[in-house]
Amino acid sequence: MRTKPAGVDAGPSVATVTRAWLPLAASWLLMALELPIVSAVTARMANPEVELAAYGSVIMPIALVIEAPIIMLLSASTTLSRDRPSYAWLARFTHVTSAILTALHLLLALTPLYAVVVDGWLGAPPEVSEAARLGLLIMTPWTWAIAYRRFNQGVLIRFGHNEAVTVGTMLRLGALLSVLAVGWFVFRAGEGGITGATLAASAIACGVTTEAIYSGLRLRPVVRDELPDRDPEGNEGLRGRAFANFYVPLAVTTLLALIGQPLGTAGVSRMPEVIPSLAVLPVVMGFIFMFQSQGLALTEVAVAALERPGARRSLVQFVARLCAALAVVLLVIAGSGLSELWFVDVSGLEPELGALATTGLLFATPIPMLRVVQSWLSAVLVHARETRAIGEAVVVFLLVLGVVMGVGILTQRWPGLYVAFAALSVARACQTLWLFVRSRGQVAALS
């Protein structure tokens, strides 16, 4: 057995990686609970099928696409916020970009562009479109709050304050639950009471704004006491074209990836069982996202760990163990009555919708494991600043997704929900394969 020479850093152990991952995994899991909680409340309010479809298949997909250019600020901030000049430059970029995207959100919510996108492009039924309009307007703070807190959290993670991310998410979830409780007990009763989609959007917007405020307050002492005036390793901060070459592929990648959600809505709207499929889609997506979140928590941990030599072996072992654990849990849930228990008793779906969701889950089970592998390979490419390959992989994802959804639309043989999750699983597998091929050189170069 080969051993490292004395004095050479053996890199972080699997236990060290796990300790760094746990706070972020808890944070992502708490955040992932938002959609199931909101869906469960909406499903128990008036007109649940339409309101669930409005919130989960119109409001959230559009809000996510608008925020897409700033999603990768977490990875960018973790990687680039090495000193005060870099931090200040990235902060200015965060706020300018957020202002532009917020203006775009308002333009969509308040002008005839709404009908073009929702009624035309997405093909949402009229009752769903009308139910979603006010909720989309209420979500206006979403993009700026997400950008601000992800930028702040990147700095916190870089300087080892991962637990602050978990605390922020707990506050976010607490604010969300508070708004849902007030809406449920105070404003839903009587003629003209608050609708499910409107309450859902209000809770989500208040929750993320609360988390953003906390992240800013929590970061202040870190900037004051820990952020150096100059990078200790002497690295030059990325500016101008160098920053664009690093960040634009990440932003475009996220935009393309999140286009998959409205693309799914548009496809489902053109296949059999439209309203039931659109209503169940966010419920199953929320359930799957709880497991995907464990892989999403890995990206920034891996980016930070790869700053040290010798991290590759531990990270690969961690990825293998996490994939195995997720596979076992999902197969047990999908193959037993636990899934129906979740969808009917917890999520509040009617039994026929619960049966639709249970079958849909079977098509979606590979997605969380594929997400773990993608997070690892993407972290390697971000570390190497070879982000173009990540965008290429998302193009592959969208092409495959479009082809499979197109087959479903042309044949009209299966409910849209089943086709959507089958398409997502196949597309994720092809995306992962592309990342694997494109990152082989970077992985091999790691110590």
Side-chain angles (χ1 to χ4, degrees):
M1 179 183 297
R2 291 188 301 174
T3 60
K4 286 190 174 290
V8 174
D9 188 352
S13 64
V14 176
T16 301
V17 173
T18 303
R19 285 194 296 270
W21 169 80
L22 278 173
L24 298 183
S27 175
W28 272 104
L29 180 59
L30 288 171
M31 187 166 58
L33 286 172
E34 283 185 347
L35 187 52
I37 291 171
V38 169
S39 297
V41 172
T42 306
R44 290 170 169 84
M45 298 181 71
N47 207 10
E49 285 192 20
V50 170
E51 297 298 328
L52 280 170
Y55 162 69
S57 298
V58 176
I59 297 172
M60 284 308 299
I62 291 176
L64 288 170
V65 169
I66 292 173
E67 70 154 351
I70 52 83
I71 283 287
M72 295 307 291
L73 276 173
L74 183 59
S75 294
S77 184
T78 304
T79 305
L80 303 178
S81 294
R82 299 169 177 268
D83 51 40
R84 292 182 185 276
S86 297
Y87 165 82
W89 192 90
L90 197 54
R92 287 193 295 273
F93 172 82
T94 297
H95 292 302
V96 170
T97 307
S98 298
I100 295 170
L101 295 175
T102 299
L104 175 61
H105 188 121
L106 286 169
L107 183 68
L108 178 57
L110 295 174
T111 71
L113 187 59
Y114 179 87
V116 173
V117 173
V118 178
D119 302 338
W121 297 354
L122 297 186
E127 61 271 36
V128 173
S129 174
E130 184 59 32
R133 183 183 292 272
L134 178 58
L136 184 63
L137 179 60
I138 291 171
M139 286 286 286
T140 300
W142 164 269
T143 296
W144 207 319
I146 289 288
Y148 182 63
R149 66 98 172 167
R150 288 182 77 83
F151 165 66
N152 292 337
Q153 287 175 348
V155 185
L156 290 168
I157 291 169
R158 179 168 187 85
F159 289 92
H161 299 282
N162 295 20
E163 76 291 342
V165 179
T166 306
V167 174
T169 308
M170 292 174 66
L171 293 172
R172 171 177 174 169
L173 190 60
L176 176 136
L177 291 171
S178 298
V179 174
L180 288 176
V182 171
W184 177 269
F185 290 110
V186 178
F187 294 112
R188 76 183 178 95
E191 186 73 20
I194 192 170
T195 65
T198 300
L199 178 57
S202 301
I204 292 290
C206 287
V208 74
T209 301
T210 299
E211 184 184 26
I213 293 171
Y214 168 78
S215 72
L217 295 174
R218 182 63 180 82
L219 185 62
R220 286 182 181 180
V222 177
V223 173
R224 183 184 64 239
D225 302 330
E226 300 181 45
L227 194 65
D229 292 330
R230 292 288 181 269
D231 183 4
E233 298 178 9
N235 294 314
E236 291 291 332
L238 296 184
R239 303 285 191 279
R241 179 172 295 186
F243 176 78
N245 290 338
F246 171 81
Y247 189 77
V248 169
L250 293 178
V252 172
T253 295
T254 309
L255 175 61
L256 292 174
L258 290 177
I259 284 174
Q261 293 209 28
L263 181 63
T265 297
V268 170
S269 297
R270 291 164 172 82
M271 284 185 269
E273 301 190 34
V274 177
I275 297 293
S277 291
L278 288 176
V280 170
L281 185 65
V283 179
V284 181
M285 285 293 291
F287 183 75
I288 283 293
F289 187 67
M290 289 193 296
F291 296 92
Q292 282 195 80
S293 67
Q294 306 308 287
L296 291 168
L298 175 63
T299 304
E300 280 66 48
V301 172
V303 168
L306 288 171
E307 294 285 332
R308 295 177 56 187
R312 182 182 68 175
R313 181 175 179 180
S314 295
L315 287 168
V316 169
Q317 290 178 353
F318 179 83
V319 166
R321 294 176 188 181
L322 183 56
C323 285
L326 289 173
V328 169
V329 173
L330 278 166
L331 288 173
V332 168
I333 293 174
S336 67
L338 292 175
S339 57
E340 191 166 349
L341 178 69
W342 174 269
F343 292 129
V344 176
D345 296 334
V346 177
S347 299
L349 295 179
E350 294 297 324
E352 59 271 19
L353 293 180
L356 186 70
T358 298
T359 305
L361 178 62
L362 294 174
F363 291 101
T365 48
I367 295 175
M369 285 75 74
L370 293 169
R371 176 66 78 176
V372 173
V373 180
Q374 287 177 17
S375 293
W376 153 240
L377 298 176
S378 296
V380 172
L381 291 167
V382 169
H383 172 73
R385 300 188 180 180
E386 298 288 342
T387 53
R388 179 177 177 180
I390 301 174
E392 295 169 357
V394 174
V395 172
V396 171
F397 165 79
L398 285 176
L399 289 174
V400 176
L401 182 69
V403 168
V404 179
M405 294 291 286
V407 170
I409 293 170
L410 290 173
T411 58
Q412 293 290 307
R413 292 182 58 184
W414 307 282
L417 183 79
Y418 301 164
V419 176
F421 282 117
L424 281 170
S425 292
V426 174
R428 288 288 181 202
C430 294
Q431 179 186 10
T432 305
L433 179 61
W434 187 272
L435 285 171
F436 173 77
V437 171
R438 294 286 278 115
S439 65
R440 284 182 300 176
Q442 287 81 5
V443 172
L446 296 171
S447 58

